Amino acid sequence: MTKKIDRRNFMETSLKVIAGAGLYSVAEPLVRPALASKRPHHIANPAPIVVVKNGRASTMVRKAVESLGGIGKFVAKGETVVIKPNMSWDRAPAYAANTNPFLVQEMVNLCLEAGAAKIKIFDRPCNDPRRSYKNSGFDRVFKHLRNPRVEFSHIDERRFVYTKIPQGKNLKEFFFYKDALEADCIINMPIAKHHSLTTLTLSMKNYMGLLGGQRAVIHQDIDQNLADISTLIKARLILTDCTRILVANGPQGGDIKDVRRPNTIVAGSDPVAVDSYCCRFFSVSPSRIGYLSKAYKMGLGEMDLSRVPTTVLDLS
Amino acid sequence: MTRTRRWTQIITLLLFVVLFLYTEYHGQDILLVPVNIFLELDPLILLGTSLAARAQIMPLFGALVLLLFTALLGRFFCGWLCPLGTIFDIVSRKQQPNNSVHQLQKFKYLILCFLLVSALWGTQLIFLFDPISILVRSLTMVFYPAFEHVIRSIVNGLYTTPLAVVSEPIFAAIKEPLLSFTQPYYRLGLTTATCFLAILALEKITPRFWCRNLCPLGALLGICSQKGAITYQRSAACNSCQVCTEKCKTGAITASGAVDKRECILCGNCVGSCQLEAVSFALAPQAAATSIDLTRRQLLKSLGAAAMLAPVIQVSRWKEPRAASVIRPPGANLDDEKFLALCTRCGECMKVCLGNALHPTLLESGLTGIWSPHLVPDLGYCEYNCNLCGQVCPTGAIAYLPLAEKQQLLIGTAYIDKNRCIPYRLNSNCIVCEEHCPIPHKAIQFERRVIQTASGPYELLLPIVVEERCIGCGICQTKCPLTGSPGVVVQKKLPGLARTRIPS
């Protein structure tokens, strides 16, 4: 049956459409956040995170790993482990520009206990590599370690391989360090710091130390690029150093006044959740960190901390 | 005696090489090894630089000790210790001296005379002829990098082959003691190599051609050793066969058996070559014989020539308005002429520089500025926590500054090239320069500007240089991700120019 289009009919329908559109345009902005929050970026079963504070560095690492189910959950016997701390800057530990070496030391001990065949520790520093390794305190802890299973070394420029990032949205391929690509297990050990472009540099930005070539080009559209890198490099365990944090003039600082001492570590296997938790030391909402939002949207982790099982251990 | 001398020479040369290899950061902020000891013992450098700069150079007073011993004993340094002399001896070990020509020997005195008069006029040209400077410079800028390049290309060539199982452990073992942290390279490598090889080629004419005829250090030591205690002597057993005269490396022995002490380098070839054991060195002061007909007239001519030529060279410098625009290492004398007067162009600062950031100039700082060090931020930057160049400089041309002082010192200043800089040109954030800026409160700040884009508002961070904080280390320029000319450029900041403030 066809309805006859007469003048009345036409005007009625037109008004209905206009009114409907008008109503929608008024209501839509009000409804949108509700719709957005229901948009399924949530991941099904967010991995737990653990927050340990006010203890000795080594104790905190041990407690954190224990709480997550023990090192055996992350490192199996005979595996090759890459531990990636941040030792990027020629700054002493007090300036909170590099990861606390004692945290890494204890993690190495745990990996040895788990029976890892090889543990590699390296970074591609921004300052002179020798000076950075030395001044960050890592040389003192690791250089004279005579354990054939622990390899503490400088980057070998020949070992960067141009690698495709299949899930990359913006960054499709780049130079990555072979050892990291081939490792059975990556343990990411960043330090939480201020950064003028990404607001904060946390675990996801720590992977820049695995990049070769002219990696500074990553900085254009850095948020998406970091999320893209996280689709390729996936750490089994992330342990973020918040024993000291740098709240301004990052990522290398240089003024002790910019350093705060929450004396906390945050660990877990979900990069977005761990990073989101660290934001609270800086009183920053995780949604303000571009790369976290992007990674969340790509399903790389959970940003809604209310959904993340969190254990807080205060050792004081 | 010949054997003792050879061993002394070899050990000294090895010491020289080891000290050279130690001129590198090995995890110590303060170099504990006196890596520049050979340069500090060089009296020619002491004399030339202190004359030219009208300065007393404290560390070089060791050179006076060498002069004193030379006056007591003779030119033992040339025959026994000089690393360049040892290299000559190795190169021409099979060659017979050509002692038929003596006329050229006076040239070294004329050169010395010329250099010292130039220095008196303020133009330090010692570096052109000082043997230790030449050797250290040539090693630093060419031969050592070339050696390293050979090793690295072999190792890298084998890297992807099964032989890497053998080559990599060897490489790992030799890397720390023998090689640099990264392959060094220098501008002017070819020029430096040519000069050195030319000197080496002169050995074809006669062994130690350089030492006999050209070396002004030899001339200086020769003048001091006229009354030296150790003297060549022929005993009664001598049958005047003249073998020692022929074998003498420096042509110091006349046919009649007299010796010119200024020429004798105490090498002992005469003693070793004598079949009758009639030649010996004795502790007997003997009146110096002269084999060189250096007349007062010639000396005066040379003095006159130097007195004329030095100012001519000086005023023909590239005195362009931008001539002083090269960025000197931190601690370099702010008066560039004074810096050049003190700098002996040994290249120690360039060898030790962490990021291979110091390079020799060709004509950028004038004709007489050749080989002097300058920072090339496109190639490397001055590491904030490092003051090694000031530690190794033998003449104090680069003063040794305590770290806190060095970190305050202005060597240049950065400016943003807004036509190139990514945020200005492409409306896209970058901030690489800012994150690398080592100044605790950042000499690079941002002007924040919100722009509208297709995907909504976007906060643009436009870098601006806070000149009152910038010290000109150059890391921003080194790390700028642009290919081609960088978006941030460091230029020399002239002393005395008031630091401008940004409007606050």
Side-chain angles (χ1 to χ4, degrees):
Chain A
M1 193 200 99
T2 49
K3 207 174 178 182
K4 198 183 161 200
I5 302 172
D6 56 18
R7 188 180 298 153
R8 169 183 289 268
N9 203 329
F10 174 76
M11 285 184 70
E12 259 178 25
T13 318
S14 301
L15 278 173
K16 272 180 200 162
V17 169
I18 290 166
L23 202 66
Y24 178 75
S25 68
V26 173
E28 198 269 351
L30 302 171
V31 180
R32 193 198 284 159
L35 287 173
S37 69
K38 280 194 189 125
R39 210 169 288 160
H41 293 309
H42 287 327
I43 53 171
N45 292 307
I49 61 170
V50 56
V51 182
V52 188
K53 48 187 166 188
N54 301 325
R56 281 169 52 93
S58 54
T59 327
M60 288 201 288
V61 172
R62 216 159 255 278
K63 289 277 180 204
V65 174
E66 255 170 41
S67 161
L68 289 169
I71 190 71
K73 211 180 150 195
F74 304 100
V75 180
K77 202 169 183 327
E79 282 191 327
T80 303
V81 180
V82 162
I83 297 181
K84 167 64 179 73
N86 186 332
M87 34 187 179
S88 202
W89 302 100
D90 179 15
R91 293 281 191 218
Y95 292 100
N98 304 303
T99 307
N100 180 343
F102 295 119
L103 298 176
V104 181
Q105 187 179 34
E106 192 58 22
M107 186 59 86
V108 169
N109 290 339
L110 284 170
C111 293
L112 287 172
E113 286 166 24
K118 194 97 189 170
I119 301 156
K120 299 179 180 183
I121 309 152
F122 52 80
D123 194 5
R124 186 170 178 229
C126 295
N127 286 124
D128 183 85
R130 291 164 290 181
R131 288 206 61 92
S132 304
Y133 275 37
K134 167 94 183 173
N135 209 355
S136 61
F138 276 83
D139 261 3
R140 232 184 79 200
V141 174
F142 290 108
K143 203 176 184 181
H144 303 291
L145 200 67
R146 295 269 173 266
N147 188 335
R149 284 158 71 199
V150 182
E151 186 186 301
F152 172 68
S153 58
H154 284 294
I155 287 287
D156 180 345
E157 290 289 335
R158 299 170 298 182
R159 297 183 68 76
F160 284 106
V161 271
Y162 204 54
T163 312
K164 284 213 174 341
I165 307 169
Q167 287 161 273
K169 279 188 175 172
N170 193 52
L171 194 68
K172 306 278 187 198
E173 45 200 346
F174 209 74
F175 295 95
F176 285 88
Y177 203 55
K178 206 175 169 193
D179 300 51
L181 294 173
E182 289 174 354
D184 298 310
C185 166
I186 295 176
I187 297 177
N188 191 0
M189 298 191 70
I191 176 170
K193 290 183 288 180
H194 162 261
H195 188 270
S196 49
L197 182 56
T198 56
T199 313
L200 296 179
T201 156
L202 302 161
S203 81
M204 284 172 62
K205 195 169 179 302
N206 197 30
Y207 292 138
M208 282 196 72
L210 304 174
L211 304 186
Q214 174 53 290
R215 61 182 171 182
V217 297
I218 296 287
H219 273 220
Q220 279 102 64
D221 203 358
I222 191 162
D223 295 331
Q224 187 56 53
N225 289 341
L226 289 181
D228 289 349
I229 290 167
S230 280
T231 64
L232 184 73
I233 308 282
K234 287 183 187 287
R236 281 195 200 157
L237 176 61
I238 298 141
L239 192 146
T240 305
D241 173 14
C242 303
T243 54
R244 288 188 179 88
I245 59 168
L246 184 62
V247 296
N249 294 309
Q252 63 164 316
D255 187 346
I256 221 90
K257 290 195 193 87
D258 295 334
V259 176
R260 302 286 177 272
R261 305 193 62 170
N263 199 17
T264 306
I265 58 169
V266 183
S269 53
D270 177 339
V272 185
V274 172
D275 284 3
S276 299
Y277 190 93
C278 293
C279 290
R280 65 178 58 178
F281 298 113
F282 300 85
S283 309
V284 170
S285 158
S287 57
R288 270 198 56 208
I289 314 293
Y291 60 86
L292 287 182
S293 307
K294 301 268 188 195
Y296 180 50
K297 279 181 191 157
M298 289 174 87
L300 294 170
E302 183 54 66
M303 200 160 78
D304 183 357
L305 288 174
S306 64
R307 298 190 68 245
V308 178
T310 308
T311 317
V312 181
L313 300 172
D314 194 335
L315 303 181
S316 63
Chain B
M1 181 178 176
T2 316
R3 174 172 287 191
T4 324
R5 189 204 77 225
R6 278 195 188 134
W7 277 112
T8 315
Q9 280 186 296
I10 287 166
I11 290 166
T12 316
L13 183 64
L14 282 178
L15 177 71
F16 176 82
V17 172
V18 168
L19 289 179
F20 177 81
L21 293 175
Y22 263 94
T23 315
E24 165 120 14
Y25 177 76
H26 284 288
Q28 300 298 328
D29 286 346
I30 306 285
L31 289 179
L32 301 170
V33 186
V35 291
N36 54 14
I37 190 89
F38 279 88
L39 290 151
E40 290 193 343
L41 282 176
D42 185 333
L44 182 67
I45 295 178
L46 173 68
L47 204 59
T49 51
S50 49
L51 267 182
R54 287 97 169 110
Q56 294 164 321
I57 302 151
M58 284 309 288
L60 283 169
F61 277 107
L64 290 180
V65 178
L66 179 62
L67 275 186
L68 186 72
F69 274 97
T70 305
L72 290 175
L73 302 172
R75 249 176 94 179
F76 69 95
F77 178 82
C78 306
W80 291 62
L81 301 178
C82 178
L84 187 61
T86 307
I87 290 172
F88 289 146
D89 283 351
I90 293 169
V91 169
S92 55
R93 63 191 177 282
K94 296 254 163 62
Q95 208 180 334
Q96 289 302 313
N98 173 4
N99 282 339
S100 57
V101 190
H102 287 287
Q103 287 94 315
L104 294 174
Q105 279 171 300
K106 65 188 171 208
F107 267 103
K108 60 178 175 293
Y109 296 102
L110 301 179
I111 288 170
L112 175 68
C113 179
F114 173 77
L115 295 177
L116 292 183
V117 173
S118 310
L120 211 56
W121 271 201
T123 313
Q124 191 260 106
L125 297 170
I126 299 289
F127 68 89
L128 284 172
F129 288 94
D130 177 68
I132 311 291
S133 301
I134 290 174
L135 185 57
V136 179
R137 173 167 82 220
S138 307
L139 273 180
T140 298
M141 293 178 200
V142 215
F143 297 112
Y144 180 65
F147 160 77
E148 177 150 359
H149 178 75
V150 170
I151 302 270
R152 279 178 188 269
S153 25
I154 293 171
V155 172
N156 291 348
L158 294 175
Y159 186 59
T160 48
T161 69
L163 282 174
V165 187
V166 185
S167 66
E168 284 303 310
I170 298 175
F171 183 53
I174 62 168
K175 197 169 180 295
E176 177 88 17
L178 274 185
L179 303 180
S180 314
F181 188 70
T182 47
Q183 168 70 46
Y185 53 91
Y186 295 95
R187 293 175 160 188
L188 242 63
L190 206 55
T191 317
T192 318
T194 312
C195 295
F196 188 80
L197 293 176
I199 294 171
L200 218 54
L202 292 173
E203 289 292 286
K204 275 278 164 219
I205 304 170
T206 178
R208 295 255 188 175
F209 183 94
W210 165 267
C211 315
R212 293 175 168 222
N213 305 321
L214 299 172
C215 181
L217 176 61
L220 181 64
L221 294 175
I223 292 167
C224 293
S225 60
Q226 290 189 65
K227 297 271 191 294
I230 301 178
T231 309
Y232 159 93
Q233 269 181 344
R234 287 182 187 178
S235 73
C238 173
N239 64 355
S240 300
C241 70
Q242 305 300 352
V243 168
C244 56
T245 309
E246 285 161 21
K247 291 273 181 184
C248 180
K249 267 190 215 169
T250 54
I253 307 168
T254 61
S256 59
V259 66
D260 186 340
K261 276 198 178 170
R262 293 179 306 185
E263 299 300 308
C264 174
I265 58 171
L266 305 172
C267 68
N269 271 10
C270 46
V271 180
S273 66
C274 184
Q275 301 287 322
L276 302 169
E277 296 183 359
V279 177
S280 61
F281 281 111
L283 280 171
Q286 186 196 5
T290 313
S291 58
I292 300 161
D293 49 347
L294 184 66
T295 60
R296 180 174 298 169
R297 189 180 180 80
Q298 280 172 326
L299 210 57
L300 281 173
K301 263 192 205 165
S302 157
L303 279 171
M308 297 275 284
L309 197 54
V312 169
I313 293 171
Q314 186 77 347
V315 297
S316 340
R317 283 182 55 163
W318 266 246
K319 280 274 185 189
E320 295 159 30
R322 302 267 177 258
S325 66
V326 294
I327 305 168
R328 296 295 186 194
N333 201 302
L334 291 177
D335 178 354
D336 213 52
E337 299 217 356
K338 198 139 196 177
F339 172 72
L340 290 179
L342 279 169
C343 174
T344 176
R345 324 290 154 86
C346 60
E348 290 269 280
C349 51
M350 304 180 212
K351 169 79 178 78
V352 85
C353 182
L354 279 180
N356 200 181
L358 290 176
H359 286 261
T361 57
L362 181 59
L363 296 172
E364 297 94 315
S365 59
L367 191 59
T368 52
I370 186 167
W371 279 308
S372 60
H374 72 139
L375 185 80
V376 185
D378 276 334
L379 301 175
Y381 63 94
C382 179
E383 195 73 57
Y384 188 62
N385 290 336
C386 169
N387 58 0
L388 289 173
C389 54
Q391 291 180 39
V392 300
C393 181
T395 62
I398 307 170
Y400 170 51
L401 301 176
L403 203 55
E405 210 173 303
K406 180 256 165 182
Q407 288 170 342
Q408 301 279 321
L409 191 85
L410 182 78
I411 57 172
T413 195
Y415 74 88
I416 308 285
D417 184 347
K418 294 186 180 178
N419 288 327
R420 293 281 301 153
C421 177
I422 293 167
Y424 286 98
R425 185 162 55 100
L426 298 172
N427 283 351
S428 167
N429 281 334
C430 173
I431 74 106
V432 173
C433 52
E434 188 259 4
E435 76 171 338
H436 282 93
C437 179
I439 309 298
H441 292 280
K442 302 282 183 197
I444 294 180
Q445 297 283 335
F446 301 115
E447 183 194 331
R448 289 167 192 270
R449 186 188 298 162
V450 178
I451 55 165
Q452 298 303 322
T453 65
S455 53
Y458 178 79
E459 190 187 42
L460 202 55
L461 305 175
L462 299 162
I464 38 177
V465 176
V466 185
E467 282 204 25
E468 58 195 342
R469 290 186 194 157
C470 180
I471 57 169
C473 73
I475 193 170
C476 46
Q477 185 175 343
T478 310
K479 302 281 181 179
C480 178
L482 282 175
T483 43
S485 62
V488 56
V489 184
V490 177
Q491 297 260 298
K492 175 156 183 168
K493 184 101 171 200
L494 287 168
L497 212 71
R499 287 188 176 201
T500 45
R501 284 175 159 275
I502 50 155
S504 50

